[in-house]
Amino acid sequence: MQGGQFIKQTDETGKVFIVTGANTGIGKETVLEIAKRGGTVYMACRDMNRCEKARQDIIRETNNQNIFSRELDLSSMESIRKFAAGFKKEQDKLHVLINNAGVMHCPKTLTKDGFEMQLGVNHMGHFLLTHLLLDVLKKTAPSRIVNVSSLAHTHGSINTADLNSEKSYSRIGAYSQSKLANVLFTRELAKRLEGTGVTTNSLHPGAVDTELQRNWKFLENPFAQLLVKPLLWVLFKTPRNGAQTTLYAALDPALKDVSGLYFSDCRPKEVSAAAQDDKTGKFLWAESEKWTGVNSTKVD
């Protein structure tokens, strides 16, 4: 159950990384491993108290001082724009952007800009962030964009008639739609980035015991927690093992020219039929541009 491991030794000294949702779970483990390999990492988080605590933990463990915590709320386009502008003032290089942050199965809520929360944070926020950083990624090429999706994408569909879940809402349906959006975005972006030296791939980290499960309804019952918690270590990967495919996609030298793929357990895996639908991919891209105000003809 603990899955594939990324065991290649790499030296990331002098390389700059951004990891979203980096204060806990897979994100924190990703930063920790990159820090051990000498990389400069910007931890982009909503909760700055927790981010700073995680940053101090990582510095203590690795003795790598080039780990920075910066505020990023993916449910706010204003916050995303502020983060990107601040980063560019500090750095003129970005070797790897890891779009890791996510919310899962939450009750119906809206982002500050009126987007359904799961699609808004998991897809739209990262869509905007990626576009705002494309210029520096291109300047730094060869560079990479890694999008953390999920096997849940295989149960998802893009609801073209009600993308924002205004007519009806399902916690699981909205999550699966957002994870399918991650894969469709990756595939469409890969085509648009051909010849730039910037690659992009998506991945399934595995079933991982992280805080993403905080909105699972049945776990609100103390009796269920008592029964289920001991099973988690059997059925779920640890966050460290959950980070392995992210590290593989971000760091493996063999993937320098590989783009548009989806990985699971540190190897390529076929995506669902819905994820291969280029027409839906183009629809989602056009809607994402509208929602976020991005004009990709200027950026690309």
Side-chain angles (χ1 to χ4, degrees):
M1 297 301 294
Q2 294 306 315
Q5 301 286 314
F6 178 63
I7 54 174
K8 278 189 191 172
Q9 294 305 308
T10 63
D11 181 2
E12 304 306 325
T13 308
K15 288 190 181 175
V16 180
F17 298 76
I18 292 174
V19 182
T20 68
N23 62 282
T24 188
I26 295 170
K28 184 180 177 185
E29 291 294 335
T30 301
V31 176
L32 177 62
E33 186 57 38
I34 295 168
K36 285 178 183 173
R37 294 167 183 248
T40 296
V41 190
Y42 282 76
M43 301 172 68
C45 308
R46 187 170 50 93
D47 185 330
M48 286 308 291
N49 289 331
R50 296 180 69 193
C51 191
E52 184 55 29
K53 184 181 178 304
R55 183 181 84 91
Q56 295 293 348
D57 289 346
I58 289 163
I59 290 173
R60 208 164 27 245
E61 190 168 336
T62 64
N63 207 26
N64 181 343
Q65 301 298 316
N66 295 318
I67 311 299
F68 306 101
S69 52
R70 297 290 180 266
E71 188 171 357
L72 171 65
D73 180 354
L74 285 158
S75 70
S76 160
M77 289 199 288
E78 183 188 2
S79 174
I80 296 164
R81 291 182 183 281
K82 192 175 168 188
F83 169 84
F87 173 81
K88 287 182 194 177
K89 281 185 187 142
E90 290 184 63
Q91 290 285 347
D92 58 1
K93 289 184 298 189
L94 177 59
H95 296 86
V96 185
L97 168 62
I98 300 175
N99 290 322
N100 164 79
V103 291
M104 178 185 188
H105 297 183
C106 49
K108 186 171 183 187
T109 38
L110 300 178
T111 69
K112 292 178 177 68
D113 304 286
F115 309 155
E116 182 277 310
M117 186 64 74
Q118 298 191 79
L119 188 67
V121 169
N122 298 353
H123 168 64
M124 293 294 174
H126 282 128
F127 180 91
L128 175 59
L129 177 66
T130 301
H131 276 86
L132 294 174
L133 295 170
L134 269 185
D135 54 351
V136 69
L137 282 158
K138 287 177 178 176
K139 206 164 64 176
T140 316
S143 54
R144 304 183 188 193
I145 301 159
V146 177
N147 295 318
V148 178
S149 179
S150 166
L151 183 65
H153 90 269
T154 59
H155 308 299
S157 59
I158 300 298
N159 189 344
T160 53
D162 188 25
L163 189 60
N164 206 30
S165 301
E166 284 164 19
K167 294 171 190 161
S168 66
Y169 179 74
S170 149
R171 290 182 183 212
I172 295 170
Y175 179 69
S176 300
Q177 174 176 252
S178 75
K179 294 289 103 181
L180 174 58
N182 293 152
V183 182
L184 287 166
F185 169 49
T186 303
R187 288 167 61 89
E188 184 64 25
L189 182 61
K191 289 177 202 157
R192 291 168 182 253
L193 290 175
E194 274 177 20
T196 63
V198 185
T199 63
T200 180
N201 294 291
S202 61
L203 64 96
H204 168 51
V208 184
D209 182 15
T210 70
E211 290 184 8
L212 265 187
Q213 284 104 31
R214 60 183 168 263
N215 288 308
W216 282 9
K217 269 217 127 13
F218 73 92
L219 283 180
E220 289 167 12
N221 181 318
F223 183 64
Q225 283 183 21
L226 213 65
L227 283 175
V228 172
K229 279 290 179 187
L231 289 174
L232 290 182
W233 72 271
V234 178
L235 300 173
F236 288 75
K237 291 181 179 181
T238 63
R240 184 187 169 280
N241 286 329
Q244 296 304 305
T245 304
T246 300
L247 293 164
Y248 165 72
L251 306 179
D252 195 322
L255 299 180
K256 188 171 82 72
D257 301 313
V258 173
S259 197
L261 294 191
Y262 171 82
F263 300 113
S264 178
D265 281 331
C266 299
R267 57 180 183 268
K269 193 173 169 69
E270 189 80 359
V271 293
S272 69
Q276 297 176 53
D277 186 336
D278 291 341
K279 188 179 167 199
T280 305
K282 284 179 170 51
F283 164 83
L284 179 67
W285 187 281
E287 287 298 304
S288 303
E289 282 189 340
K290 269 189 244 169
W291 289 26
T292 60
V294 160
N295 182 348
S296 65
T297 51
K298 282 184 188 169
V299 182
D300 289 351

